Amino acid sequence: MWASLGVIKDDAFLTEMMKDASGPLNFTMFLTFMGEKLQNTDSDDVLTNAFQTIDDANTGLITKEKFTNALTQLGDRFSKEEINQMYDVATMKGDSVDLKRFIKLINYGGDFEEES
């Protein structure tokens, strides 16, 4: 599940997280458990507003170069490995991240739109 969101966690993190489970992990428990963990993500509007600070031309696209610069120079700085993992799962249009679809990936764990 975490990997599908572009997040790689080690065994220690997962073991600690499993301590929160109230019993054996079956599918229903998994859905409930992950729903609770994902509930604290930012809304689509919050993410859109944040990305618009980088998308000066308001195209809905941010070039890899510009996005990488923002991720390594602003706020919580990402490592090169984290950035590469993000690009492995992000929906791209040419050499740019498609923001609308990237926000869906962050908040819903996938891109549910067909490529147009």
Side-chain angles (χ1 to χ4, degrees):
M1 176 68 178
W2 289 108
S4 72
L5 297 172
V7 177
I8 307 301
K9 295 293 183 180
D10 62 12
D11 289 342
F13 173 85
L14 299 174
T15 300
E16 186 64 30
M17 190 174 76
M18 288 305 298
K19 290 179 183 176
D20 293 337
S22 60
L25 192 62
N26 59 29
F27 187 66
T28 303
M29 174 72 74
F30 172 77
L31 290 177
T32 302
F33 188 66
M34 290 311 295
E36 291 169 1
K37 294 292 181 190
L38 293 174
Q39 195 168 17
N40 295 325
T41 60
D42 291 320
S43 70
D44 290 4
D45 289 340
V46 168
L47 291 171
T48 299
N49 289 337
F51 287 129
Q52 283 178 341
T53 64
I54 306 168
D55 180 18
D56 300 329
N58 199 28
T59 62
L61 302 171
I62 299 176
T63 65
K64 273 179 94 169
E65 179 181 5
K66 195 169 197 178
F67 206 17
T68 299
N69 287 339
L71 293 172
T72 57
Q73 297 174 13
L74 304 173
D76 294 332
R77 295 187 171 119
F78 286 68
S79 71
K80 187 174 185 173
E81 181 182 349
E82 290 170 324
I83 291 170
N84 288 336
Q85 290 171 352
M86 187 221 33
Y87 287 132
D88 285 344
V89 297
T91 303
M92 305 294 289
K93 283 193 176 181
D95 193 36
S96 298
V97 176
D98 181 326
L99 295 179
K100 181 179 175 189
R101 295 175 79 183
F102 188 61
I103 290 168
K104 285 188 179 204
L105 174 68
I106 292 170
N107 278 342
Y108 309 108
D111 179 13
F112 306 107
E113 293 184 17
E114 292 294 320
E115 187 75 36
S116 49

